[in-house]
Amino acid sequence: MPGIPAWSEEEALAFMGRFAIEKSILSILSPGLFFGDLAATRQLARIVNDEGAALCRRHPNQFGFFASLPIPDVAASLVEIDRAFDELGAS
């Protein structure tokens, strides 16, 4: 992947308004969160989910988010699933 694509809350809301998009669901796509370091992957998953939840709290009618998991760490993924749904309100 050549780099992280640019994205901003303001631009996303403007785009949604321009094209009458009522709700967007945030999701991390390829290549995912794992780059060879399981500890860093766990931390990144937590950060990504916290940021998604914060955006959804600011704009509850416009955004939802799918939980990002620290795969391939299955045990940590199960913990993050519980946290994302029970504490953060993931979709």
Side-chain angles (χ1 to χ4, degrees):
M1 183 169 169
I4 297 171
W7 188 90
S8 80
E9 180 177 338
E10 296 78 17
E11 288 179 14
L13 288 167
F15 180 88
M16 291 167 65
R18 242 186 345 268
F19 294 99
I21 298 168
E22 292 183 20
K23 189 157 195 159
S24 290
I25 305 297
L26 305 170
S27 178
I28 297 293
L29 299 176
S30 182
L33 304 177
F34 181 67
F35 297 98
D37 182 332
L38 288 176
T41 303
R42 288 189 294 270
Q43 182 180 15
L44 184 55
R46 184 165 284 255
I47 290 167
V48 166
N49 290 331
D50 288 344
E51 289 297 318
L55 178 67
C56 291
R57 283 191 299 274
R58 289 192 300 275
H59 305 283
N61 296 320
Q62 287 82 24
F63 291 105
F65 76 101
F66 292 144
S68 294
L69 303 178
I71 295 172
D73 188 334
V74 175
S77 292
L78 294 173
V79 169
E80 193 61 22
I81 288 169
D82 287 342
R83 190 178 87 82
F85 283 97
D86 296 343
E87 295 175 28
L88 302 179
S91 301

